[in-house]
Amino acid sequence: MSAAQTEPGDENGRYHRQSLISWWEQDRLAAARVLVVGAGALGNELVKNLALAGVGTVVVADMDTIENSNLSRCVFFRSSDEGRMKAEVVCEAAAGLNPDVEFIPVVGDIRHAIGLGSFTGFDLVLGGLDNREARLHTNQACWKAGIPWVDGAIEGLMGVVRVFTPPDSACYECTMSERDHELLAARRTCALLTREEMLDGKVPTTGTSASVVAGMQVQEAIKLLHQDRLPTSMAGKGFVVNGMTHDSYIVDYPRQDACMSHDTYALSQAEVVPRDETFRELLERGAAAHGLPLADVTIDLEHDVIVAFTCPVHGRGDDEPVLLTKATVGSALCPVCSAERALDVRHSVSSVDADLLNLSAADLGLPPADALTARSLSGRVHFMLDDPHPWQIVDAQLVEEEAR
Ligand SMILES: [Zn+2]
Ligand SMILES: [Zn+2]
């Protein structure tokens, strides 16, 4: 921590003016760990505001490279950065803005790049996303891990900021319209989506809309970090702004009882297990935790895994298991005859799955710090995989585990 942060009375201190706000505690910001999902137009503005405010740790996740068409909306990108990973460039450039902040890039698809257990290491999550699938994943991960998240969306001069606080507020899925659900259901009938198909399409956006919305998002993030000191809350609400007319209003989203995204896991109590432990051993662990025979326990995974590809002519291929979100359309084709192969997709493992019992979570490609759930008729017990990411967002329990 810099001297500027420890001496609030210093009128020349970097954070002096914001520290004059009665409820503001700069130390809270300095201690906060925030995940920014998406490093595009919104993501650049989110990171810029977090950096200036002095949020201690900012992790930026994005799977894309920089294109020329990004340059009009992204303060951290230069034309010489074309072709480089967005997450890495944002983190490098933001470090120059404020040396007090630690920036950590995660290059990958949010749907599998960050294990669910790692979400518990964040104080909150900010969404700078452009598609429904990534929003739904982020929403469900935040609910399971019990982490508030602030979503931002822009189209033209329209913007919306939504604040979701598990377990009690409305969630992102609660805000989805019937049309959203129809589009999503239509998409889910196709197992393998190309990157192009996953995106909702290129929407018209401007850097100014991104500034407005991301500014509001970070303001909400700072308020969430001080929620116990504030009289108001935006939980379960949206702020909609029309940049053309400057009409703006608050939407109070009703919490939908039938919503499928309200599952919460008690991950802080989860036992940390080796990522290379076999599913037979995991089932034994689950059976012991439940006090039941092995056959009465099922291990639920957080991901769909393709365990076999079968050609109608050439039979089962010798492919390694792969997460459904990592598989490409091309990988589903037979390497001999190019016929479309049948996918054997699993979401759980029980004692009848003889083909998987000697494999481990690592063999299936499940990410470090991912969660596994041992389910029986008597309830659920959660496990967290060890071997956390090198960027060391670790739960207190993982640190204890390593110290033993
Ligand atoms: Zn919901
Ligand atoms: Zn074939």
Side-chain angles (χ1 to χ4, degrees):
M1 194 180 290
S2 75
Q5 281 169 308
T6 52
E7 295 167 25
D10 177 5
E11 288 185 15
N12 282 320
R14 182 187 276 263
Y15 309 111
H16 178 257
R17 300 301 187 277
Q18 60 201 39
S19 300
L20 293 174
I21 295 172
S22 61
W23 48 265
W24 193 288
E25 287 184 17
Q26 189 62 36
D27 288 348
R28 291 195 190 197
L29 270 64
R33 295 192 289 193
V34 174
L35 170 64
V36 175
V37 189
L42 283 171
N44 268 257
E45 290 294 314
L46 291 168
V47 172
K48 181 202 79 182
N49 289 315
L50 292 167
L52 292 175
V55 165
T57 307
V58 178
V59 177
V60 183
D62 194 289
M63 65 190 288
D64 282 331
T65 54
I66 295 169
E67 295 172 11
N68 200 45
S69 62
N70 303 135
L71 298 177
S72 65
R73 300 179 305 283
C74 299
V75 68
F76 291 125
F77 298 165
R78 303 287 174 266
S79 51
S80 56
D81 296 323
E82 211 176 321
R84 294 189 61 206
M85 302 310 304
K86 288 180 178 176
E88 291 177 350
V89 172
V90 163
C91 287
E92 276 176 31
L97 212 51
N98 189 346
D100 294 341
V101 182
E102 185 179 11
F103 297 95
I104 303 166
V106 176
V107 173
D109 185 334
I110 189 61
R111 294 177 300 163
H112 52 245
I114 298 181
L116 183 60
S118 291
F119 272 78
T120 60
F122 299 110
D123 295 290
L124 50 94
V125 174
L126 296 177
L129 296 161
D130 59 3
N131 69 88
R132 235 178 244 103
E133 276 79 5
R135 279 198 177 90
L136 267 178
H137 177 87
T138 302
N139 184 59
Q140 287 177 357
C142 285
W143 238 258
K144 286 172 181 170
I147 308 301
W149 81 286
V150 184
D151 185 40
I154 49 175
E155 185 168 347
L157 301 190
M158 295 291 296
V160 58
V161 178
R162 290 176 283 206
V163 178
F164 304 113
T165 58
D168 296 326
S169 84
C171 79
Y172 167 70
E173 189 173 341
C174 292
T175 72
M176 283 172 54
S177 66
E178 218 163 286
R179 180 73 185 139
D180 289 326
H181 281 287
E182 280 168 18
L183 287 169
L184 196 71
R187 223 101 75 130
R188 281 182 173 166
T189 58
C190 173
L192 288 179
L193 298 170
T194 65
R195 169 74 181 142
E196 290 69 35
E197 285 165 338
M198 199 188 86
L199 290 173
D200 285 347
K202 292 180 167 55
V203 293
T205 59
T206 66
T208 50
S209 293
S211 299
V212 170
V213 167
M216 296 288 296
Q217 282 181 271
V218 173
Q219 191 160 285
E220 287 308 316
I222 292 167
K223 284 161 63 186
L224 281 169
L225 292 172
H226 295 84
Q227 196 59 68
D228 56 311
R229 305 195 62 183
L230 299 176
T232 57
S233 167
M234 279 287 288
K237 296 180 185 176
F239 172 74
V240 181
V241 58
N242 179 339
M244 186 61 74
T245 59
H246 286 200
D247 285 324
S248 64
Y249 55 94
I250 302 286
V251 187
D252 208 339
Y253 296 109
R255 187 178 151 93
Q256 310 284 352
D257 289 335
C259 177
M260 300 297 285
S261 292
H262 295 170
D263 200 2
T264 57
Y265 290 4
L267 284 176
S268 58
Q269 286 131 49
E271 185 182 352
V272 176
V273 300
R275 189 160 158 262
D276 59 3
E277 189 164 280
T278 65
F279 280 98
R280 187 187 307 281
E281 291 167 312
L282 286 165
L283 281 165
E284 283 164 2
R285 215 184 257 279
H290 282 292
L292 290 169
L294 202 80
D296 292 350
V297 176
T298 298
I299 304 285
D300 286 330
L301 315 177
E302 291 299 313
H303 300 268
D304 289 318
V305 183
I306 306 172
V307 297
F309 295 82
T310 304
C311 172
V313 178
H314 298 97
R316 181 173 170 158
D318 54 5
D319 308 70
E320 298 285 330
V322 62
L323 299 186
L324 189 61
T325 50
K326 279 189 178 175
T328 60
V329 175
S331 69
L333 305 180
C334 174
V336 182
C337 69
S338 295
E340 203 169 304
R341 297 187 290 178
L343 309 180
D344 182 357
V345 180
R346 309 285 180 89
H347 199 84
S348 63
V349 182
S350 66
S351 59
V352 298
D353 297 310
D355 56 335
L356 300 182
L357 294 180
N358 292 324
L359 298 180
S360 67
D363 292 329
L364 297 191
L366 297 171
D370 205 11
L372 295 174
T373 302
R375 169 172 51 89
S376 76
L377 287 175
S378 66
R380 302 190 302 183
V381 174
H382 301 292
F383 300 124
M384 202 194 299
L385 300 177
D386 71 353
D387 185 19
H389 274 275
W391 40 274
Q392 65 189 352
I393 297 299
V394 290
D395 190 68
Q397 197 155 354
L398 273 176
V399 177
E400 280 170 32
E401 194 74 13
E402 282 171 350
R404 262 177 233 153

